[in-house]
Amino acid sequence: MNAFWCETAIVRADHPEEGYPALAAASGVRIETHNGRISSITTDTEAQPNDMRLSGITFPAAANAHSHAFHRVLRGRTHEGRGDFWVWREQMYRSASELTPEKYEKLATAVFAEMVVTGFSSVAEFHYVHHQPDGTPYAEPHAMELALARAAMSSGIRVTLLDTLYLAGGIGTPLNPEQARFGDADVHAWLDRLNSLRAVVAEQFPKELVSVGAALHSVRAVPEEDLKVVARQLPEDIPLHIHLSEQPAENQACLEAYGTTPAGLLERHGLLSSRLSAVHSTHLTQEDIALLGNAGTTVVMCPSTEADLADGIGPARELAGAGAAIALGTDQHAVIDPWTEMRTLEHGERLGTGQRGRFSPQELLRAATEGAARSMATPIAASGLEVGAVCDLMVIDPASTRTAGSRPLQMAFSATSSDVTEVIIAGELVASHGAHTRLGRPGSLLTEALKELS
């Protein structure tokens, strides 16, 4: 058993807020753990001799609901000239073509370490670089997937490995040579590989740290006939993710081919449900919003990426009002910072509507914690500390040049990852003042990993 004494901590409060348990900043909070979970919480108490003392404000650690680890290569490399989409796309395909299992494990270890030191304790890794560059499977058919799992174990982050179905280069268009390694022979081959991967991961890794989910890259990459097969045959006990309506061109192509929007196509085949996470959901009709909300889907917003790619501002507030759960992800890792994602979600709403207060600070914390964790197969996180939850914590310095004077529950509007002083995962200290306790500073790891990629 480990125990922590927190100068201040964000805990569950008794009075509800908009149907959710409220949060409160409590002083002198002592947390006891057992098997990586919180077994007791005592407030207004003194530290005991063997407690780890956490100065500052202790929050639940964040969850990252959407990641492409290899996209970290793109940071600061896709802005030549005016850095249009085609510059970005060319660099993305080049980076994907250079990955080997060894290079990917090294890169992903560094990327996951960066997530950990910035306050993330879990990640949903949307993974589609499955095979060799020409599409031939590796001798170990799960070589790339197992490389990512080992990287997560090395960094200490909980990972839901979303094995992705990617069969077409566009609606009615085959995969191009740059996409060959993303695909499988057909949907049945993917399902077989997914089931095999689940068995291998369950045998080799602890289930509370590494788990397997499924993803459909998009309605552009998965033909309608294959969506029908997925709806019938995908195991019911795993999460399902999809990129949805990220660009207007995707919607137009879907309308022309299928007579409906991407959300409508998923609804047609029974794929809208509470286990589905729809990533981006930027360009939606009012009917789409109602469909996603009524199904209780999780909508994963990636505000820093959506800004970087000029995708647009999605209707997050309307989706939440319709019944969808809002989650946050870092996607291509233009920034890895849960506080920036929280703040950018609200700022996008303000810029789009001319109104402040579209999301309360507590709603932003929920999106970064339990909203995101809901989309994963790893244990559900809480937005406030509570007994029974995993003991995943991040501590914020309340006296930095950014946070000084901020109220604890309003840190989403002032803090950044630079203010994270400690990160605890499963009751163990894994990061302190920007350094990983086992791996050192992620900047050094990233520098070495990126030397092997152009």
Side-chain angles (χ1 to χ4, degrees):
M1 180 189 79
N2 290 337
F4 303 90
W5 182 85
C6 310
E7 182 179 22
T8 303
I10 305 302
V11 299
R12 294 282 200 180
D14 294 331
H15 54 284
E17 180 204 75
E18 300 173 1
Y20 293 93
L23 305 177
S27 299
V29 178
R30 188 169 186 272
I31 302 168
E32 292 184 337
T33 71
H34 180 70
N35 291 335
R37 291 180 177 266
I38 297 174
S39 56
S40 72
I41 297 176
T42 308
T43 60
D44 296 316
T45 190
E46 298 296 324
Q48 296 189 15
N50 293 326
D51 292 352
M52 178 180 290
R53 300 176 69 99
L54 301 176
S55 300
I57 304 170
T58 300
F59 290 82
N64 188 347
H66 189 64
S67 162
H68 302 293
F70 83 89
H71 283 199
R72 176 59 180 80
V73 179
L74 307 179
R75 186 187 296 177
R77 296 185 174 191
T78 64
H79 305 279
E80 288 87 355
R82 295 190 176 183
D84 63 16
F85 173 75
W86 302 107
V87 172
W88 182 90
R89 185 176 184 267
E90 180 182 349
Q91 176 66 60
M92 188 272 285
Y93 279 135
R94 182 164 63 247
S95 299
S97 72
E98 294 173 349
L99 294 174
T100 64
E102 296 75 22
K103 289 180 181 179
Y104 206 5
E105 182 173 349
K106 186 174 182 179
L107 173 64
T109 298
V111 175
F112 292 155
E114 182 180 2
M115 290 182 196
V116 166
V117 303
T118 60
F120 288 108
S121 66
S122 60
V123 60
E125 179 61 29
F126 199 112
H127 166 65
Y128 53 82
V129 188
H130 301 302
H131 308 299
Q132 298 183 64
D134 64 356
T136 304
Y138 286 97
E140 161 49 76
H142 307 303
M144 295 295 270
E145 292 74 31
L146 295 178
L148 287 167
R150 289 191 299 269
M153 289 294 294
S154 295
S155 69
I157 201 168
R158 306 177 192 272
V159 66
T160 299
L161 187 58
L162 299 169
D163 196 87
T164 302
L165 177 61
Y166 200 138
L167 297 176
I171 296 175
T173 304
L175 294 173
N176 63 44
E178 294 170 314
Q179 299 166 321
R181 69 184 314 183
F182 305 163
D184 290 287
D186 55 34
V187 65
H188 301 287
W190 173 72
L191 285 165
D192 289 344
R193 191 172 56 74
L194 174 67
N195 289 330
S196 172
L197 176 64
R198 294 184 73 194
V200 171
V201 166
E203 179 180 315
Q204 295 187 17
F205 301 97
K207 65 180 181 179
E208 287 215 338
L209 296 178
V210 181
S211 54
V212 175
L216 312 174
H217 180 271
S218 59
V219 300
R220 295 179 292 106
V222 182
E224 182 175 22
E225 292 303 309
D226 297 313
L227 292 176
K228 295 177 184 179
V229 175
V230 172
R232 291 193 305 265
Q233 297 187 24
L234 186 70
E236 296 181 357
D237 61 339
I238 60 175
L240 176 65
H241 290 223
I242 185 170
H243 294 125
L244 189 79
S245 293
E246 184 175 2
Q247 307 239 343
E250 173 190 343
N251 292 348
Q252 186 59 38
C254 190
L255 282 165
E256 291 174 359
Y258 304 125
T260 187
T261 62
L265 186 63
L266 297 181
E267 194 274 337
R268 178 185 293 174
H269 299 295
L271 288 167
L272 289 187
S273 72
S274 59
R275 80 152 165 178
L276 182 74
S277 293
V279 181
H280 301 305
S281 301
T282 307
H283 302 282
L284 302 178
T285 66
Q286 289 301 309
E287 183 179 359
D288 292 338
I289 293 170
L291 287 173
L292 293 167
N294 290 336
T297 55
T298 296
V299 174
V300 183
M301 300 290 191
C302 306
S304 64
T305 286
E306 288 146 10
D308 183 78
L309 295 180
D311 285 339
I313 300 169
R317 182 69 265 171
E318 290 180 81
L319 284 159
I326 304 299
L328 293 171
T330 63
D331 194 356
Q332 63 147 342
H333 316 307
V335 173
I336 295 181
D337 184 337
W339 299 97
T340 294
E341 299 297 345
M342 285 184 250
R343 186 158 52 253
T344 307
L345 178 68
E346 170 64 14
H347 284 177
E349 282 282 324
R350 294 182 183 188
L351 289 169
T353 65
Q355 299 174 348
R356 297 183 90 228
R358 300 285 287 175
F359 287 93
S360 71
Q362 295 196 31
E363 287 177 304
L364 296 175
L365 286 170
R366 278 197 292 272
T369 54
E370 61 195 78
R374 166 184 169 170
S375 71
M376 303 182 198
T378 48
I380 297 297
S383 55
L385 304 182
E386 62 180 1
V387 172
V390 291
C391 187
D392 292 1
L393 315 173
M394 67 168 154
V395 184
I396 292 293
D397 177 2
S400 77
T401 54
R402 292 161 294 278
T403 61
S406 298
R407 294 175 178 170
L409 284 169
Q410 295 188 32
M411 285 293 169
F413 291 96
S414 59
T416 72
S417 60
S418 296
D419 303 310
V420 175
T421 57
E422 283 88 24
V423 179
I424 288 96
I425 300 178
E428 300 290 339
L429 180 70
V430 292
S432 180
H433 295 275
H436 195 283
T437 54
R438 295 193 302 272
L439 301 175
R441 295 202 170 272
S444 299
L445 300 174
L446 288 160
T447 298
E448 288 304 310
L450 291 169
K451 285 178 181 178
E452 301 179 5
L453 300 162
S454 63

